[in-house]
Amino acid sequence: MPKISGELVLPGDKSISHRAALFAALRDGESEFENFNFNRDCSATLACLNQLGIAHSFDGRKLKVGGKPLKQWQKPSSELNAENSGTTARLMSGLLIHLPFETTLIGDASLSRRPMKRILDPLRLMGAKIKDADGHLPLTYFPVEHINGIEYPLPVASAQVKSAVLLAGLFAEGETHVIESVPTRDHTERLLNLPVRFDEAGRKVILSSSEIQIPDISMTIPGDFSSAAFFITAALLAPQSDLWIRNVSLNPTRTGFLEVLKRMGVTLQTQTTQEKPEPMGDIRIQSQTFKNITIPKELVPNIIDEIPILSILATRGEGMLVVRNASELRVKESDRIHAIVTNLRSVGVQVEEFDDGFALEGPQKIKGGRVVTYGDHRIAMSFAIANLIAEDEIVLDQPECVDVSFPQFFDLLARIVKE
Ligand code: S3P
């Protein structure tokens, strides 16, 4: 069995990269980003912005985005294509409702199956005029005279919905408040310096359109923690491993996976090297044994993207891993509960499926076999890591789908796998 060792610096965080491009596009002037993630999702955001008249350039190190006030954005010559990216579609919607011309947003087959009612409801409450296809893409946004601020308690724990409403609120009349009962990733409020208050309803993000100026958020984007989770798992599972991941995001609304590992009895070394605008630092991972746990409900939104790789980790833990309250997984790039359960079964792992999650008892052997990724990058990467500890080879049907978030995945994995 190979061991995992060495040091890695990962491409920039996907959620931050999307927001970097979008917020820079709104600011009058040029912003610069190092370690921007040019994966398929973030490239779709840049391409949509480009069609709206926002130019960018890349000199091999820095992405430069030439922003313009929203009023000066241009009418695109064709439909905007968010491809596979829910973040592009949902965040961009908060801006498209304000444009003085009609725009239409489309996506690939997976994105066209994903629910958009969650953004349509609040945006329509604000006065937006949007045509949808029964709660799905394509969405057409029509110009309206007024968009008003709202107070919106999030019915689903979603940073994409929160951010869509906040972006819409930037150009709305009056204040916009978004209230979440369970915290979700907070990159939007951090980067826009939005005040947050806590009361009995939960965590309230406050945006007053008359007071806000889009700040210059030029920065080096921290490495993507969700990408790091695959290599953290690899190093925990492969014997005699010792891996450092440097300059990775340590934003506490993203590192719930570290909290889960701690509760599983894992010891890791982390050191924070930067707090603002986004926490960042280094993580050292050495192979070790651990026990499985029941995931607390309130941690689920924070580890939502890490649950596929957690299922692989749990095959080697002692006892039961129970994931419930995670029905959001059914409406990600694929139905991830179905994808996790059916693929684990096809590589010889016994697992129970629930409407809102799954449970498996470890330790179990992973035999090997064919994995259907459903074109879902996180399913592909999870089973590529399972392959390291499988008895026989695991073959992915569409390995190239990792390009959606992490085109460098297989190259970086090869760099740290030592035979
Ligand atoms: C994201 C939020 C999460 C996450 C997605 C990126 C974001 O989605 O799963 O990968 O950048 O805001 P939801 O907001 O739908 O939970």
Side-chain angles (χ1 to χ4, degrees):
M1 205 179 286
K3 69 174 181 181
I4 300 289
S5 71
E7 274 196 30
L8 286 178
V9 177
L10 300 177
D13 182 81
K14 176 160 85 74
S15 293
I16 301 174
S17 293
H18 281 295
R19 287 160 176 79
L22 284 166
F23 303 166
L26 293 169
R27 187 182 145 260
D28 200 2
E30 194 169 77
S31 310
E32 295 185 344
F33 302 102
E34 284 190 40
N35 206 31
F36 185 88
N37 195 328
F38 288 96
N39 58 25
R40 261 190 64 207
D41 271 12
C42 299
S43 299
T45 291
L46 286 175
C48 289
L49 289 171
N50 210 20
Q51 284 213 62
L52 292 157
I54 305 299
H56 65 266
S57 62
F58 183 59
D59 64 7
R61 200 163 70 93
K62 281 186 182 157
L63 168 74
K64 293 184 184 169
V65 179
K68 284 183 202 165
L70 197 62
K71 301 193 249 345
Q72 291 170 31
W73 287 23
Q74 289 159 19
K75 183 168 170 51
S77 54
S78 61
E79 292 158 328
L80 301 167
N81 192 345
E83 299 195 21
N84 193 248
S85 173
T87 309
T88 308
R90 297 195 176 116
L91 270 59
M92 192 71 87
S93 294
L95 300 175
L96 297 177
I97 60 165
H98 289 285
L99 295 176
F101 43 78
E102 190 182 308
T103 51
T104 294
L105 186 95
I106 59 169
D108 71 4
S110 149
L111 187 60
S112 303
R113 283 192 295 270
R114 296 178 66 187
M116 293 296 151
K117 187 171 179 297
R118 54 185 60 197
I119 54 155
L120 295 171
D121 286 348
L123 296 179
R124 283 176 178 147
L125 271 178
M126 297 174 92
K129 200 169 163 228
I130 309 169
K131 183 168 150 250
D132 60 313
D134 203 14
H136 296 91
L137 300 186
L139 299 178
T140 300
Y141 312 82
F142 299 97
V144 288
E145 288 288 315
H146 285 293
I147 298 283
N148 50 275
I150 51 169
E151 169 140 324
Y152 196 66
L154 287 179
V156 36
S158 163
Q160 292 179 355
V161 178
K162 171 173 67 177
S163 302
V165 177
L166 291 171
L167 280 175
L170 282 178
F171 307 97
E173 265 172 52
E175 292 207 346
T176 294
H177 298 168
V178 183
I179 303 156
E180 46 186 13
S181 52
V182 184
T184 63
R185 63 193 68 191
D186 66 356
H187 309 299
T188 298
E189 41 279 46
R190 264 180 201 269
L191 297 176
L192 294 177
N193 296 322
L194 301 178
V196 174
R197 265 190 239 136
F198 290 87
D199 60 23
E200 36 332 313
R203 180 178 181 273
K204 186 189 279 192
V205 187
I206 295 160
L207 186 151
S208 175
S209 55
S210 55
E211 284 166 26
I212 191 158
Q213 289 255 339
I214 309 284
D216 181 0
I217 56 161
S218 296
M219 64 167 149
T220 299
I221 298 178
D224 192 308
F225 181 80
S226 297
S227 298
F230 297 105
F231 299 137
I232 293 174
T233 300
L236 288 173
L237 292 179
Q240 295 181 304
S241 295
D242 190 356
L243 177 70
W244 276 98
I245 304 179
R246 305 265 183 210
N247 299 340
V248 66
S249 167
L250 291 177
N251 179 318
T253 63
R254 294 295 298 285
T255 52
F257 184 65
L258 295 182
E259 178 57 32
V260 167
L261 293 179
K262 199 166 139 199
R263 293 180 192 209
M264 292 170 92
V266 168
T267 316
L268 299 175
Q269 207 178 314
T270 57
Q271 50 201 34
T272 303
T273 53
Q274 168 188 297
E275 280 293 348
K276 283 190 172 176
E278 281 279 347
M280 167 164 105
D282 303 332
I283 309 178
R284 183 187 190 185
I285 313 102
Q286 291 166 297
S287 31
Q288 54 196 281
T289 57
F290 49 87
K291 58 183 191 317
N292 287 330
I293 60 166
T294 296
I295 303 298
K297 185 179 174 183
E298 64 283 2
L299 268 183
V300 169
N302 193 313
I303 61 162
I304 198 75
D305 292 341
E306 286 66 70
I307 291 175
I309 189 61
L310 181 62
S311 74
I312 305 300
L313 184 72
T315 63
R316 283 292 190 273
E318 284 289 337
M320 287 291 277
L321 170 81
V322 183
V323 177
R324 301 297 305 251
N325 305 294
S327 45
E328 271 299 296
L329 289 175
R330 298 238 180 242
V331 291
K332 291 292 176 188
E333 287 83 330
S334 69
D335 173 345
R336 286 189 176 152
I337 295 177
H338 175 78
I340 290 168
V341 168
T342 52
N343 283 314
L344 280 176
R345 286 180 184 153
S346 35
V347 298
V349 175
Q350 284 181 23
V351 50
E352 190 180 353
E353 178 171 3
F354 309 116
D355 280 354
D356 64 346
F358 60 91
L360 73 87
E361 183 164 15
Q364 292 191 50
K365 284 189 174 147
I366 298 181
K367 294 202 173 97
R370 194 177 148 78
V371 158
V372 181
T373 59
Y374 302 94
D376 185 329
H377 54 128
R378 298 202 196 282
I379 298 299
M381 291 187 278
S382 299
F383 283 88
I385 298 301
N387 182 49
L388 297 173
I389 54 162
E391 289 180 344
D392 298 312
E393 199 187 353
I394 291 180
V395 180
L396 306 176
D397 66 343
Q398 289 178 63
E400 68 285 355
C401 69
V402 305
D403 291 357
V404 161
S405 63
F406 196 4
Q408 307 82 348
F409 172 76
F410 288 110
D411 288 346
L412 291 181
L413 181 61
R415 219 192 280 168
I416 55 171
V417 170
K418 311 276 160 69
E419 294 302 335

